[in-house]
Amino acid sequence: MTVSADPSRTAADRLTRAAARWFARARSGTMGKPDRAALHAWLAEDAVHGEAYLKIGDVWDAAEHVRADPQVLAMREKALSRYPAAFKPARPALAAVCAILIAAAGIALVGWIVGATTQPAFQVFRTGVGQTANIGLTDGSRLTLDTDTTIRTQIT
C-alpha cells in the first residue's frame, strides 16, 4: 500500500481545525468546568494536540502584531474618517459581533499566510497491523514503514 502526502495533510488540517476550535472556545470566556475538562483531556490525548494548540496561539499573537502595525492603523483611521464623528452603531451587540468576525477573519488570514509560506511543523504517518507504506516527504526523501508503525517527521 502506498500512502501519499494528501491523507496526512487532511489529518493535519483536521488537527489544526480542532485546535483552533478549542483555542477559540478557551478565549471566549464562556467555558464551563466540563468544557475545560474536555479541553485538558483532548490536550492529554496526544502530544501533537498540544503542539497544534500552541501553534494556533502563535497565529493569534501574530494577528495581535498585525493589528498594531502602523499601516493597519493608518488604514483604520482612513476608514473611520469617512464617517461623521457622531457615528455610533445602532446596535452595540451587532457591532461587537462584527468586530469579532473581523478579528476571526484576520486570524484566519494570518493562519493561511503562515500555512502557505511555511512547511508544516511535523507530519505523522501510521501503518496498521499487516500494512506497509512507502511515503514521499516534502524534501524529496522517502520512507518505508513496516507493519504497526508510527513515525513523526519534521523537515527543517
Side-chain angles (χ1 to χ4, degrees), residues 10-23 42 52 56:
T10 302
D13 289 344
R14 284 193 305 267
L15 176 63
T16 299
R17 286 187 180 113
R21 282 191 298 272
W22 279 117
F23 188 84
W42 182 79
I56 295 297

Side-chain angles (χ1 to χ4, degrees), residues 12-151:
D13 289 344
R14 284 193 305 267
L15 176 63
T16 299
R17 286 187 180 113
R21 282 191 298 272
W22 279 117
F23 188 84
R25 286 175 68 188
R27 290 210 34 101
S28 73
T30 60
M31 283 184 77
K33 197 171 188 175
D35 289 333
R36 283 192 299 274
L39 170 59
H40 290 293
W42 182 79
L43 290 169
E45 191 175 293
D46 193 329
V48 298
H49 293 176
E51 292 173 15
Y53 189 87
L54 290 174
K55 188 173 181 179
I56 295 297
D58 291 342
V59 171
W60 180 266
D61 292 342
E64 288 293 319
H65 294 295
V66 170
R67 188 183 73 160
D69 182 90
Q71 289 178 319
V72 173
L73 291 173
M75 288 187 287
R76 178 181 178 270
E77 290 302 317
K78 183 178 177 183
L80 289 174
S81 70
R82 293 181 183 158
Y83 298 101
F87 173 76
K88 291 185 181 178
R91 296 183 176 143
L94 181 60
V97 169
C98 289
I100 291 169
L101 290 174
I102 289 169
I107 292 168
L109 177 62
V110 170
W112 178 78
I113 291 169
V114 168
T117 59
T118 62
Q119 293 291 330
F122 60 88
Q123 289 181 295
V124 177
F125 301 97
R126 291 184 176 94
T127 56
V129 174
Q131 294 179 324
T132 60
N134 294 312
I135 301 164
L137 299 177
T138 57
D139 68 349
S141 60
R142 299 203 52 81
L143 289 172
T144 301
L145 301 182
D146 205 354
T147 183
D148 195 25
T149 302
T150 301
I151 187 169

